[in-house]
Amino acid sequence: MARNIQSLERAAAMLRLLAGGERRLGLSEIASALGLAKGTAHGILRTLQAEGFVEQDSASGRYQLGAELLRLGNSYLDVHELRARALVWTDDLARSSGESVYLGVLHQQGVLIVHHVFRPDDSRQVLEVGAMHPLHSTALGKVLAAYDPVAHSEAAEADWPVLTTRTVVDPEAFEGVLDITRARGYASDVEETWEGIASVAAPIHDRRRMPVGAVGITGAVERVQKDGELRPDLIAAVRDCARAVSRDLGAGRF
């Protein structure tokens, strides 16, 4: 275990060296700067290269940071820009709806909660930032699967546990749900994930009009529904919030 940790530390130091030094560095320079044997440095570089984190110039043999790090960096920035742009609008949504508000993005085969605004009352609540929610049963997950082809593929490959008696686990029925979601511009979850809990969510798009996340409210069924139907005012509020964040991200009008 100690060797694994040491290898990770050395790989991280190598990436920092490549990020902070000259544009390209040779094997000897990297090994010398980090106090490593050439064989050790070469083995780490080879692994990082295989993962796309490091690239080697074919002519000079020197190393530089790879495109995979740029992709990961952009993903990190996108999530933080999304959260920053959504702060005011999600606070407003929580105040106007009286319910908890969640901002979620696709992560592997689930929905990663990147922002959570508490329900504006004095009840005891638990912060869920960093929590993972399922794609197949939550309103946030359905929105992502409906609008993002990658999320759709991840949902298809994920396990679909039956969480309540209302959870949809039939692939054909799920595709029908996604069709409805795209047609009306929002998704719902009425006791499909948690008994007694209902949610409404809508998609957020960026300047390229690509789906980058979803925002939604979650609360007790008796508050989110009226006479057995989702409250139209809550649906409108969620969609307005999603449009506002999208506009702030440069998406224009939807």
Side-chain angles (χ1 to χ4, degrees), residues 103-239:
L103 186 68
V105 298
L106 175 68
H107 182 66
Q108 297 176 351
Q109 294 182 334
V111 182
L112 174 65
I113 303 302
V114 297
H115 186 51
H116 174 197
V117 185
F118 283 162
R119 184 172 62 254
D121 60 19
D122 295 327
S123 61
R124 184 175 179 274
Q125 299 173 65
V126 177
L127 186 67
E128 291 205 36
V129 172
M132 291 291 292
H133 290 186
L135 281 169
H136 72 293
S137 62
T138 60
L140 293 171
K142 293 175 194 175
V143 162
L144 293 174
Y147 287 90
D148 183 350
V150 176
H152 184 274
S153 297
E154 293 290 351
E157 295 173 5
D159 293 330
W160 289 9
V162 176
L163 302 171
T164 74
T165 57
R166 294 172 176 258
T167 308
V168 175
V169 292
D170 176 71
E172 187 173 343
F174 184 69
E175 290 299 324
V177 169
L178 299 188
D179 287 340
I180 293 171
T181 297
R182 286 185 285 266
R184 65 189 184 182
Y186 70 91
S188 63
D189 161 15
V190 180
E191 297 189 284
E192 295 175 47
T193 309
W194 300 282
E195 297 283 356
I197 301 296
S199 302
V200 180
I204 296 171
H205 298 80
D206 66 6
R207 61 184 60 86
R208 299 161 298 175
R209 299 213 166 192
M210 296 294 292
V212 293
V215 63
I217 61 165
T218 296
V221 172
E222 59 268 22
R223 294 196 306 267
V224 177
Q225 285 192 322
K226 183 177 181 180
D227 299 326
E229 299 290 338
L230 294 170
R231 286 170 48 192
D233 60 312
L234 294 183
I235 295 171
V238 170
R239 296 191 69 192

Side-chain angles (χ1 to χ4, degrees), residues 230-254:
L230 294 170
R231 286 170 48 192
D233 60 312
L234 294 183
I235 295 171
V238 170
R239 296 191 69 192
D240 286 346
C241 178
R243 291 192 192 101
V245 178
S246 296
R247 283 197 301 272
D248 278 3
L249 289 170
R253 297 187 66 84
F254 269 80

Side-chain angles (χ1 to χ4, degrees), residues 83-116:
R83 184 178 180 277
R85 298 288 185 179
L87 287 176
V88 172
W89 300 111
T90 50
D91 282 349
D92 286 347
L93 179 58
R95 280 194 296 270
S96 64
S97 68
E99 301 297 346
S100 299
V101 176
Y102 293 91
L103 186 68
V105 298
L106 175 68
H107 182 66
Q108 297 176 351
Q109 294 182 334
V111 182
L112 174 65
I113 303 302
V114 297
H115 186 51
H116 174 197

